[in-house]
Amino acid sequence: MRFEHENLPQRIRFGSGEAAAMLAGEVQRLGAVRVMVIASPAEVGRSQKITSDLPVVHHHEEVTMHVPVEVAERARAAAARHQVDAVVSIGGGSATGLAKAIALTTGLPIVAVPTTYAGSEATTVWGLTEGARKTTGADARVLPRAVIYDAELTVSLPVPMSVASGLNALAHCVDSMWGPRADPIDRVLAQEGIRALRVGLPQRDRPDSLGGREHVLYAAHLSAVAFSSAGSGLHHKICHVLGGAYDLPHAQTHATVLPYVLAFNAPAAPEAEQRIASALGSVGAIIGLQKLRDQLDAPKALRDYGFAESDIDGAVDAILPAVPVNNPRPVTAEDLRRVLHAAWQGTDPRTAIGDMPGRP
Ligand code: NAD
């Protein structure tokens, strides 16, 4: 066994119903006295409840998915105008992403309060969009100094968003099994993440089930820590192109594409297949994933989210050069076409992709 693994410096606080107190503690720890709070109009009510004890000098509500550069510029200008010394983001990956865009150019510390399972709060990855072009990069400055996880803040998430976002976390775990820098520590974190998702996600439609939501939030953190270390594997390379060039919704795209990539890679990655299967409590990874997806009524086809059959060839051309060289099996244009066509149509991955072990 020979590997390198970097742990990221970040404080994690986890406690249901304790966001306000934990947040006040972290802002005080930073010594911040002029705080900018980022929360979209939909999050404002939740945000006000947990920030009333903070020295807030500016509430910023302009939050847009994939962080358009002009939105980032306006947020940076507001931070400068109000002379803020810390940024608090409350919301999903889009709110966290905007805070990261500010930190990227200013070095301001972030305290993140995630309310979805996207996991951006635990990675050094930032993303900005200019026109239809999405640029991403990794920079230590954008990593939030502290993260506050409070499952009560997820109770308001609509069930379909809970499911899609939870499967986005599951996709982080699966890609962490074979990402370009995947190591044994990432695989253990990812396996535990999948197990916790399997326990928590089926309790999605019980808003009173804080235990289930805590499992999913805990899993979202593990998935992001594993993914940040392992790097983007085939699944994320595909979704990055689909999200950037075709403007597909982030979580739903991940939730839809995942079983096809798993069906494609699993036969060539027996250790990953076994870990995923065991975390899902199943005899096979793809069988276990499909069982969970059926139970959750998960997103099924890319055509439901605006991706057209005629987009497939262009997407294949854009994805092929980005395929990681260490993918468990070689990937041809024809393979990608087959994966994307099946995902576009929502065909059962067990029959559409073939080659899988453990076919029922
Ligand atoms: P999002 O932040 O856009 O949220 C989706 C929707 O859910 C929004 O309408 C939001 O208002 C709503 N919402 C959020 N929390 C809610 C709650 N508790 N109750 C009710 N509604 C709520 O979507 P997302 O999937 O969380 O994040 C996607 C973005 O994050 C994308 O831009 C993606 O690229 C980025 N991302 C980045 C990383 C990274 O490591 N940098 C990782 C994952 C995702």
Side-chain angles (χ1 to χ4, degrees), residues 40-43 46 63-67 90-97 100 114-127 129 134 136-137 142 151-158 161 164-165 168 172 213 224 227-228 236 240 249-252 254:
S40 76
E43 260 65 66
R46 274 181 290 282
V63 176
T64 311
M65 196 178 278
H66 304 315
V67 198
I90 300 166
S94 300
T96 316
K100 285 177 159 184
T115 62
T116 69
Y117 311 122
S120 173
E121 69 279 358
T123 82
T124 56
V125 178
W126 54 267
T129 316
K134 186 167 178 182
T136 59
V142 308
E152 279 189 5
L153 299 175
T154 69
V155 170
S156 51
L157 259 184
M161 185 61 203
S165 194
N168 184 187
H172 286 141
R213 285 165 191 282
F227 173 67
S228 192
H236 278 78
H240 180 79
H250 180 83
Q252 291 81 352
H254 279 270

Side-chain angles (χ1 to χ4, degrees), residues 99-116:
K100 285 177 159 184
I102 297 173
L104 184 65
T105 54
T106 62
L108 282 169
I110 302 172
V111 180
V113 187
T115 62
T116 69

